[in-house]
Amino acid sequence: MEHPNTLKKHIFGFLWSLILTFAALLITLRTNLPLGWKVTIIVTLAFFQLIIQLLYFMHLTEGDSKWIQVVNIVYGLFVAIVTVAGSIWIMLYNTMTH
Amino acid sequence: MANPSQVDTSKPLEYQSEDGKLKILGIWAFLGAEIVLFATLFATYLSLHGQTAGGPTSQDLFEVKEFMIETILLLTSSFTCGLAVMEMRKGSKKGYLCWMLVTLLLGLGFLVMEINEFATYVSEGAGLSRSAFLSAFFALVGTHGAHVTLGIGWVLLVLYQVYKQGFTPVTARKAFITGLYWHFLDVVWIFIFTAVYLLGMVS
Amino acid sequence: MDLFNFKKPEHFFVTGEPMIYMADVLIVLTMLGIVFVLTYYKKWRWLWDEWLTTVDHKKIGIMYLISAVLMLFRGGVDAVLMRTQLALPNLKFLNAQHYNEIFTTHGTIMIIFMAMPFIFGLMNIAVPLQIGARDVAFPALNALSFWLFAAGALLFNISFVIGGSPDAGWTSYTPLAGNELDPGPGENYYLLGLQISGIGTLMSGINFLVTILKMRAPGMKLMKMPMFTWSTLITSIIIIFAFPVLTVALALLTMDRLFGAHFFTIAGDGMPMLWANLFWIWGHPEVYIVILPAFGIFSEVISTFARKRLFGYSAMVYSMVAISALSFVVWVHHFFTMGSGPWINSLFSITTMLISIPTGVKIFNWLFTLYKGRIRFTTPMLWTLAFIPTFLVGGITGVMLASAPADYQYHNSYFLISHFHYTLIGGTVFACFAGLIYWWPKMFGFKLNERLGKWSFWIFIIGFNLCFIPMYLIGLKGMPRRIYTYPAGLGWGTWNMIETIGAYLMGIGFAIFVYCIIYSIRHGERDTTGDPWDGRTLEWSTSSPAPEYNFARIPQVNEIDAFWYRKRNKAMKVEESKPLKPIHMPNKTGLPVILSIFMFIAGFGFVFEWHLIGIIGLLGVLGCLAWRSLHEDKGFYIPVDIIQQTEAKWKKVSARGKSITS
């Protein structure tokens, strides 16, 4: 079970998360992209970091129950996205009252 | 309850007993619930972000340097926590304890900076009751901070047990689970960094 | 926030209502009576050892069921009081305030403190037995779930004598439920009572998920699980992803009320509608949390008493999976009229109507299971047969409500009230009765009297329809919900009187059911075989009541309806030749009770904004958790000779029972 390249994977994951963090910062503060673009890009970068943490640090795909763990997280993200996107849509893009 | 003393030695220590496997799956389910818990707080914050009641906005309050240091501290702590769990799998008690202490120090540094940030806002008249935006800000970021605080206490308990008993299937499982929890807090922070601080700087 | 300021509320004890004084007297007398009986018969030790500290899923299930029946009584009394007030126009039986409090507690108690524990009780009894397990994955956590539920329920229920009941409806909509319009402890009770029991519910969800996924008997693949276990699995998933939303919503409103935050207030740019949004993101999945296990119970009962394998097993499973996903994307249909735009309302109309497809699939599957079955009309079967048309009416009126433009007409009228009572009573409550009677012998070793059970069924079902059919009509005539009285001359009077008669009949049906239990304790038919209904699933393969360790040997499963298959293929004998091994069991623990007491103290402190007490309670909770972390339970072994003795005793009684009947 012990992977010889675990340390390498960890360092790799750490470097990537640093790169993604600073990339998001630079895109937000140092570019002139329209707001919609910025939001899309940095949220996408955040999801990349999520995947890196889940795979490299949290060993999501390890153990006897890896499929259960994966389905569990995917379902959680589904409900999370529905909750956040739905609430924003309902509360802020409410065409009747605006 | 599965018998914690029956073990299968072909697996990493934390997965060796049936009891350990059940508890690790249990904590994953709990983290699934935590995803939704924070999602609800994000939904609230993003809905209320513009509701400042004439008070300070996110652009008035947030300082790039401050939140970047907080971010780096927590990111690094997640990395060192991963190293600690790796040491645990090698069976090195000393390596685990050392890296975990580094993790805790980084976590503590993060917490001190966050408390400082909150205190600054409150002293500027931007407290919880100032506006809906600030209520939501403190609720979201504060809930994360409370998780970090509890996490520090929890990790300390586990460190004590590992220090006393060394690695057994039980302590290894606890070390692994606290590690998962700690990484998860970093994941949540990435989204706070993105949706609260970065977006707060531009809109 | 001053920690040492113990602000005295206007009224600590609720005064001025003769009914409340009567309740006070009754509560004191009951408590004295319980203390006296326990002391006189020297039962304190027994209570602590056998019940308060137990981690046995069967005993925890029984405690859930006792609480649920008590709460059914409390919620039922609320209902009867409301119906009495509305029987005639312009009655002065209850005043407006009292009426508001009663419809609030009725709704909250029936959903959170009656339906939920009823379902959890039956899950606890049946699921580990159905999958051939010796307990749940985390037995101590299971006990903690129950005691947190009990602490929350107790906190909520004392509100009507101490501090005053909540009065903003079970949905607790802001701004009405905010501090400006509704100061005082009442709403705090709602928030903290639900919060505490909600945490317990979330833990149960995780517990049952892990139990079902990881602890099934060898050979029981997912697609060979009994349908009730399937429904519990899906329900657990919904709980895990829905309850955190409630946790947050309650916490935010608590912050509004206690610490001056502005989430849902008008002042400070808050958004009152955000509460409705968050509440129903949890609230709609919650509806499926209480209905899916009901579907599971009906599936078991139909299959057993039609003596056929369930028709369309995999279609049943997939439709539940579909429902679980859809349940998270329909919530706006609860507030179409709050002014969301046409796009939003259209989308949520469509998703809502989509849910009727998997539900319809299930209805047809039940009908096809009945088709050509050799049906036995037992009491659980009667409740199940009544469920199908009742739920159909509830479901179809639901599709009517799902149409957003039409909903502008039905919204907040008695039409809506009738719709959800047809689904919640016709679905969940009927299932609770069916399941309780069905699994009763497994819990206590004797059957409930069938004749009394049928009387209670028929009276309840007639009362139910008398009560709720007129509500559809009167709703269409324009009678709004939550009004405490109405003028004469609107044509509502006669219908309301019929409804009230129906409600009283339901009360009588419930009373007969309680009498049936008391009667059957003495005269009920003893179940010596462990298999009183000629059952199909594994819970009937062990003795009634099941021994502490459930199964002396973990069964091997090859088929759906494993026990039925074994009975037909004489596989029992082979199994019994396997040697016995010592069985590992968890130790009992007092920690769940103690932790829940601290949680109750914390809740009580925050209800009255006595923050110091609240913080002390929370510190106690943390202390308990730390203690548990340092004291890992290693469990103990039941030796082989004890297992042999227990099994031999059952075999002897069982053999005697068989010789009497044959």
Side-chain angles (χ1 to χ4, degrees):
Chain A
M1 273 301 277
E2 189 60 51
H3 302 290
N5 56 350
T6 328
L7 180 64
K8 221 187 270 173
K9 270 174 78 179
H10 266 95
I11 295 173
F12 181 77
F14 182 51
L15 287 179
W16 262 111
S17 49
L18 284 177
I19 293 167
L20 289 171
T21 306
F22 280 99
L25 181 74
L26 291 179
I27 288 164
T28 318
L29 297 181
R30 294 277 183 272
T31 62
N32 292 319
L33 291 168
L35 186 62
W37 278 92
K38 282 185 180 175
V39 175
T40 315
I41 293 171
I42 63 175
V43 170
T44 313
L45 292 182
F47 272 96
F48 272 119
Q49 272 216 61
L50 165 74
I51 292 167
I52 284 173
Q53 294 263 343
L54 284 173
L55 294 183
Y56 292 136
F57 289 178
M58 295 174 81
H59 313 277
L60 175 69
T61 51
E62 248 181 41
D64 297 349
S65 321
K66 55 179 174 242
W67 283 112
I68 305 175
Q69 292 170 5
V70 172
V71 170
N72 172 63
I73 293 296
V74 169
Y75 204 123
L77 290 174
F78 159 70
V79 176
I81 291 168
V82 165
T83 304
V84 173
S87 297
I88 293 172
W89 191 35
I90 292 158
M91 298 311 300
L92 302 181
Y93 296 88
N94 199 323
T95 48
M96 210 83 145
T97 50
H98 285 264
Chain B
M1 173 186 158
N3 185 353
S5 52
Q6 246 165 23
V7 293
D8 167 7
T9 46
S10 69
K11 301 219 160 68
L13 205 48
E14 69 273 18
Y15 282 111
Q16 279 184 4
S17 75
E18 200 54 39
D19 189 51
K21 286 185 210 165
L22 294 181
K23 284 184 174 151
I24 291 171
L25 182 59
I27 216 70
W28 275 108
F30 173 71
L31 292 183
E34 288 268 76
I35 289 178
V36 178
L37 182 125
F38 278 103
T40 313
L41 287 164
F42 275 107
T44 307
Y45 174 80
L46 293 170
S47 299
L48 296 174
H49 176 239
Q51 306 294 104
T52 51
T57 64
S58 54
Q59 273 162 324
D60 300 336
L61 291 172
F62 298 162
E63 300 274 349
V64 178
K65 204 179 109 199
E66 301 270 319
F67 71 72
M68 275 316 281
I69 296 175
E70 285 174 23
T71 305
I72 300 300
L73 281 176
L74 213 54
L75 264 181
T76 314
S77 83
S78 185
F79 174 59
T80 55
C81 174
L83 293 181
V85 171
M86 224 174 69
E87 292 291 333
M88 174 199 84
R89 286 205 171 162
K90 282 190 210 152
S92 158
K93 180 170 140 184
K94 205 173 134 207
Y96 170 79
L97 291 177
C98 285
W99 281 119
M100 227 41 215
L101 279 176
V102 176
T103 307
L104 282 187
L105 284 178
L106 290 167
L108 216 56
F110 166 84
L111 211 58
V112 169
M113 285 202 65
E114 184 163 86
I115 292 170
N116 196 29
E117 180 192 340
F118 284 7
T120 316
Y121 294 169
V122 171
S123 70
E124 286 167 1
L128 177 82
S129 320
R130 178 63 191 84
S131 67
F133 154 64
L134 281 161
S135 299
F137 169 80
F138 283 108
L140 170 55
V141 184
T143 303
H144 177 267
H147 274 72
V148 174
T149 315
L150 280 178
I152 290 176
W154 190 11
V155 169
L156 279 174
L157 265 176
V158 174
L159 285 189
Y160 169 76
Q161 291 172 51
V162 172
Y163 174 73
K164 280 267 165 193
Q165 302 164 23
F167 283 119
T168 64
V170 173
T171 52
R173 180 255 298 163
K174 288 184 178 182
F176 186 73
I177 284 177
T178 43
L180 283 184
Y181 181 79
W182 195 268
H183 292 308
F184 177 76
L185 295 183
D186 184 39
V187 171
V188 173
W189 182 261
I190 292 164
F191 283 88
I192 292 181
F193 167 74
T194 307
V196 176
Y197 288 101
L198 287 185
L199 285 184
M201 296 304 294
V202 289
S203 65
Chain C
M1 183 172 100
D2 186 357
L3 281 185
F4 295 95
N5 173 21
F6 290 97
K7 176 167 76 168
K8 196 176 171 302
E10 237 174 290
H11 308 287
F12 188 73
F13 289 107
V14 176
T15 51
E17 280 276 349
M19 270 194 289
I20 302 272
Y21 290 130
M22 257 162 59
D24 287 339
V25 173
L26 279 177
I27 290 169
V28 171
L29 284 180
T30 314
M31 277 179 11
L32 285 177
I34 292 172
V35 169
F36 174 77
V37 168
L38 285 172
T39 314
Y40 187 81
Y41 292 102
K42 301 202 172 69
K43 287 286 187 189
W44 285 104
R45 186 83 229 171
W46 165 83
L47 183 70
W48 178 257
D49 283 348
E50 295 292 313
W51 294 95
L52 299 188
T53 60
T54 186
V55 292
D56 182 338
H57 68 96
K58 301 174 287 290
K59 286 186 176 167
I60 291 172
I62 290 172
M63 291 194 288
Y64 266 121
L65 291 173
I66 293 171
S67 330
V69 171
L70 283 175
M71 287 295 104
L72 181 59
F73 173 73
R74 156 90 212 257
V77 169
D78 284 347
V80 165
L81 290 175
M82 278 191 283
R83 281 317 320 165
T84 309
Q85 163 65 19
L86 291 175
L88 293 167
N90 297 318
L91 275 186
K92 299 266 180 324
F93 176 64
L94 300 173
N95 61 33
Q97 173 60 24
H98 201 172
Y99 188 85
N100 290 349
E101 291 175 6
I102 283 179
F103 75 64
T104 302
T105 53
H106 168 74
T108 315
I109 285 175
M110 285 302 201
I111 300 266
I112 304 285
F113 301 122
M114 188 284 286
M116 296 289 288
F118 223 127
I119 296 289
F120 275 127
L122 295 173
M123 284 178 185
N124 264 293
I125 301 288
V127 168
L129 289 168
Q130 283 197 328
I131 61 172
R134 294 209 161 109
D135 208 324
V136 293
F138 314 119
L141 190 71
N142 196 22
L144 181 59
S145 287
F146 170 75
W147 288 109
L148 283 178
F149 150 75
L154 187 64
L155 189 65
F156 186 86
N157 272 282
I158 58 169
S159 66
F160 85 107
V161 287
I162 298 176
S165 297
D167 55 1
W170 90 277
T171 50
S172 195
Y173 274 0
T174 51
L176 178 61
N179 246 348
E180 290 74 24
L181 296 172
D182 202 347
E187 279 303 309
N188 297 347
Y189 271 118
Y190 170 93
L191 295 168
L192 290 150
L194 262 64
Q195 187 70 284
I196 292 172
S197 69
I199 295 168
T201 306
L202 178 61
M203 291 172 185
S204 288
I206 294 176
N207 213 338
F208 278 93
L209 179 90
V210 178
T211 306
I212 296 173
L213 287 177
K214 301 296 283 182
M215 295 176 72
R216 299 190 306 279
M220 188 182 274
K221 304 231 168 59
L222 280 177
M223 289 312 255
K224 287 183 177 153
M225 296 197 305
M227 198 47 65
F228 180 62
T229 301
W230 254 115
S231 70
T232 304
L233 176 63
I234 303 286
T235 305
S236 304
I237 294 171
I238 305 181
I239 287 174
I240 291 171
F241 297 114
F243 263 77
V245 183
L246 177 72
T247 304
V248 170
L250 293 171
L252 299 183
L253 187 50
T254 311
M255 282 166 74
D256 266 9
R257 292 182 58 88
L258 264 52
F259 308 117
H262 288 294
F263 296 100
F264 312 118
T265 57
I266 309 273
D269 258 4
M271 284 183 171
M273 184 175 154
L274 186 61
W275 166 266
N277 179 60
L278 295 181
F279 183 86
W280 287 113
I281 292 178
W282 160 78
H284 200 84
E286 163 69 12
V287 174
Y288 291 94
I289 290 168
V290 295
I291 201 66
L292 287 182
F295 289 171
I297 294 167
F298 292 131
S299 301
E300 299 291 338
V301 170
I302 285 187
S303 168
T304 303
F305 296 111
R307 281 179 263 195
K308 272 178 71 189
R309 182 192 274 201
L310 194 64
F311 183 90
Y313 178 96
S314 47
M316 284 295 212
V317 171
Y318 294 131
S319 59
M320 278 199 291
V321 173
I323 288 174
S324 86
L326 282 171
S327 72
F328 283 99
V329 292
V330 298
W331 74 92
V332 172
H333 70 221
H334 293 273
F335 50 98
F336 278 148
T337 58
M338 251 181 220
S340 305
W343 279 106
I344 296 174
N345 279 359
S346 310
L347 181 98
F348 283 94
S349 271
I350 293 167
T351 52
T352 305
M353 290 180 190
L354 279 179
I355 281 206
S356 65
I357 297 171
T359 318
V361 168
K362 299 186 83 69
I363 297 261
F364 281 112
N365 280 337
W366 287 315
L367 292 177
F368 285 130
T369 309
L370 289 169
Y371 179 67
K372 288 198 171 168
R374 286 168 295 146
I375 297 171
R376 282 175 291 166
F377 290 96
T378 57
T379 331
M381 190 60 167
L382 288 180
W383 284 108
T384 306
L385 293 175
F387 147 79
I388 295 175
T390 312
F391 193 79
L392 196 65
V393 171
I396 286 175
T397 48
V399 179
M400 291 167 72
L401 283 154
S403 167
D407 182 63
Y408 274 76
Q409 193 63 37
Y410 310 133
H411 190 80
N412 259 3
S413 76
Y414 265 85
F415 187 87
L416 168 80
I417 302 294
S418 192
H419 153 69
F420 71 71
H421 282 89
Y422 260 82
T423 52
L424 283 172
I425 296 182
T428 308
V429 176
F430 285 13
C432 290
F433 279 119
L436 186 61
I437 301 166
Y438 180 64
W439 280 304
W440 186 276
K442 193 44 68 187
M443 290 182 254
F444 299 108
F446 62 90
K447 277 163 98 170
L448 290 176
N449 184 282
E450 282 281 301
R451 202 169 49 87
L452 284 169
K454 284 177 183 166
W455 270 102
S456 101
F457 164 77
W458 283 110
I459 291 178
F460 192 94
I461 204 95
I462 292 168
F464 169 75
N465 283 294
L466 270 185
C467 185
F468 290 101
I469 289 176
M471 283 194 193
Y472 280 127
L473 307 174
I474 213 172
L476 293 178
K477 280 176 172 238
M479 182 162 168
R481 72 195 288 199
R482 293 177 175 169
I483 51 166
Y484 84 106
T485 190
Y486 53 92
L490 291 170
W492 297 350
T494 321
W495 290 122
N496 270 295
M497 182 50 104
I498 296 172
E499 288 165 16
T500 303
I501 294 169
Y504 274 88
L505 282 179
M506 289 164 82
I508 294 169
F510 175 75
I512 295 176
F513 184 76
V514 173
Y515 174 69
C516 171
I517 291 177
I518 296 165
Y519 176 87
S520 307
I521 289 173
R522 301 209 98 194
H523 307 289
E525 183 192 325
R526 303 294 121 169
D527 169 28
T528 53
T529 61
D531 182 21
W533 309 110
D534 196 9
R536 310 176 71 84
T537 40
L538 287 176
E539 72 267 38
W540 307 110
S541 70
T542 185
S543 64
S544 294
E548 186 191 2
Y549 48 79
N550 290 356
F551 300 95
R553 300 171 184 82
I554 294 294
Q556 169 73 36
V557 176
N558 304 311
E559 269 303 315
I560 299 175
D561 295 339
F563 182 51
W564 183 262
Y565 180 81
R566 269 165 59 189
K567 281 193 283 192
R568 292 297 169 276
N569 292 287
K570 310 270 182 256
M572 303 283 265
K573 288 276 179 290
V574 185
E575 196 136 291
E576 276 168 27
S577 61
K578 283 190 216 156
L580 288 169
K581 285 186 203 138
I583 295 174
H584 182 262
M585 296 299 288
N587 281 310
K588 56 190 175 193
T589 165
L591 194 79
V593 180
I594 296 167
L595 191 149
S596 302
I597 291 172
F598 277 119
M599 202 62 130
F600 180 86
I601 293 171
F604 193 78
F606 287 123
V607 162
F608 287 95
E609 301 183 36
W610 298 339
H611 298 298
L612 186 67
I613 293 182
I615 289 168
I616 289 173
L618 288 182
L619 288 177
V621 171
L622 284 179
C624 287
L625 291 176
W627 191 89
R628 176 75 187 176
S629 173
L630 296 170
H631 297 77
E632 184 81 12
D633 176 26
K634 302 228 167 28
F636 70 100
Y637 277 99
I638 304 178
V640 171
D641 53 324
I642 301 276
I643 305 170
Q644 266 164 348
Q645 276 169 26
T646 317
E647 294 295 304
K649 211 187 285 167
W650 171 41
K651 289 279 140 55
K652 214 164 92 190
V653 178
S654 170
R656 201 188 306 143
K658 269 179 198 146
S659 68
I660 292 169
T661 45
S662 58

